Amino acid sequence: MTSCFNGGTGWPEPVVRVQAVSDTCGDTIPERYVKPLSERPSLSPAAADGAGGGPNIPVVDLSMPDADATSQAVAAACREWGFFQAVNHGVRPELLRRARAAWRGFFRQPAEVRERYANSPATYEGYGSRLGTAKGGPLDWGDYYFLHLLPPSLKSHDKWPSLPASLRETTEEYGEEVVQLCRRVMRLLSTGLGLEAGRLQAAFGGEGCEGACMRVNFYPRCPQPELTLGVAAHSDPGGMTMLLVDDHVRGLQVRSPDAAAGEWITVDPVPDAFIVNMGDQIQVRARGTS
């Protein structure tokens, strides 16, 4: 269990890696990770619907030959849910598997190797285990690695892990392809909203000037998953998130668009799909330009 401070800009208390907690806590998680009853994972029937033919977020085939139909499908999914699963998106399944394997390899490194890249609240870039800086605040059950991809002025390969040996090259290739996919979805959404194809891209600074980052989440074994969350309920503050999930683990929940019900729906992931999430900034910019 390791402290992580960075001069005068460090964390307000020692940072404990959830991976270390998982290895030592036995059958009971520490109180710091127990969520209030109202914030715990949904165990209602709605949470199980994703695997049983019930409500689920839309699936959009990005290989449809009709570009207008694709744009309208993207726009409709974003209006109703703010989420969709993108299939046939053009990023090679082989690259997705390599990216997953490379980062699993990092989290399997000895603790002293991982700690070389420990982050701080100054930038959050690097290996981390908490996002909030309030001393004594509740904690999520997960570790992560955060990297800047764009703009080039923020990108520093020195902050990218050197082990496993394939990680930097694989992450570079993966990042480039996912950024291109984000730009494509941005164009489709703009067109689907009745705007010029480049309108939303321009609102974020134009191609090459936008910001892009990558966060890899690692969720260790949890003996009491009903009491905690890997990531607490939130909306994404950026423009768009491309989420690559584990095809074999159903964990992501999204709020039903039926505000009256307010149910959380467990997403049933399509193999090799990206789950696309419209963030707060897209919502604001789309309203301002429509």
Side-chain angles (χ1 to χ4, degrees):
M1 299 189 180
T2 308
S3 306
C4 169
F5 287 91
N6 186 356
T9 61
W11 303 99
E13 58 189 335
V15 171
V16 179
R17 303 302 180 197
V18 178
Q19 198 167 351
V21 175
S22 174
D23 290 341
T24 58
C25 70
D27 295 330
T28 305
I29 65 174
E31 190 67 25
R32 290 286 303 276
Y33 298 91
V34 176
K35 302 295 183 183
L37 186 60
S38 62
E39 298 177 15
R40 292 178 191 174
S42 171
L43 300 179
S44 68
D49 281 336
N56 204 353
I57 62 175
V59 176
V60 178
D61 185 348
L62 296 185
S63 69
M64 290 189 292
D66 188 332
D68 289 340
T70 307
S71 294
Q72 292 304 318
V74 168
C78 293
R79 283 193 184 98
E80 182 178 0
W81 284 88
F83 286 85
F84 65 91
Q85 296 198 64
V87 299
N88 297 321
H89 42 67
V91 182
R92 304 185 314 281
E94 175 269 337
L95 177 57
L96 304 182
R97 287 190 284 273
R98 278 198 287 126
R100 288 192 186 101
W103 282 99
R104 287 191 185 110
F106 169 77
F107 285 103
R108 291 187 183 123
Q109 296 298 315
E112 59 268 22
V113 173
R114 288 181 270 123
E115 289 301 329
R116 296 173 192 166
Y117 303 96
N119 71 352
S120 79
T123 66
Y124 287 90
E125 189 168 20
Y127 175 48
S129 298
R130 60 183 297 159
L131 290 173
T133 56
K135 188 173 183 179
L139 299 174
D140 292 334
W141 190 268
D143 300 325
Y144 65 88
Y145 206 105
F146 181 82
L147 288 173
H148 289 293
L149 300 177
L150 288 174
S153 60
L154 292 181
K155 185 176 180 180
S156 173
H157 284 133
D158 291 341
K159 297 179 181 178
W160 296 30
S162 59
L163 292 174
S166 63
L167 188 145
R168 291 185 180 180
E169 180 180 358
T170 299
T171 300
E172 186 76 59
E173 185 179 358
Y174 174 84
E176 289 175 357
E177 293 208 19
V178 174
V179 166
Q180 290 299 327
L181 177 58
C182 287
R183 289 168 177 164
R184 182 184 174 202
V185 172
M186 197 89 76
R187 291 192 297 269
L188 289 168
L189 181 56
S190 293
T191 303
L193 291 172
L195 305 171
E196 294 180 0
R199 184 63 183 276
L200 285 175
Q201 183 75 58
F204 284 93
E207 186 168 325
C209 296
E210 70 272 60
C213 56
M214 177 176 175
R215 175 172 162 173
V216 183
N217 294 316
F218 179 78
Y219 305 113
R221 178 199 68 87
C222 182
Q224 295 177 296
E226 72 280 4
L227 299 182
T228 190
L229 289 167
V231 179
H234 65 282
S235 63
D236 286 359
M240 179 188 303
T241 299
M242 288 283 173
L243 177 63
L244 178 64
V245 301
D246 189 319
D247 289 342
H248 306 291
V249 178
R250 297 169 62 248
L252 175 68
Q253 292 188 331
V254 304
R255 183 67 66 89
S256 167
D258 182 353
E263 295 175 328
W264 288 92
I265 306 300
T266 302
V267 176
D268 194 22
V270 176
D272 295 328
F274 279 100
I275 297 175
V276 185
N277 175 13
M278 295 300 113
D280 298 338
Q281 293 185 39
I282 282 280
Q283 292 188 42
V284 170
R285 293 177 193 273
R287 288 174 185 149
T289 56
S290 60

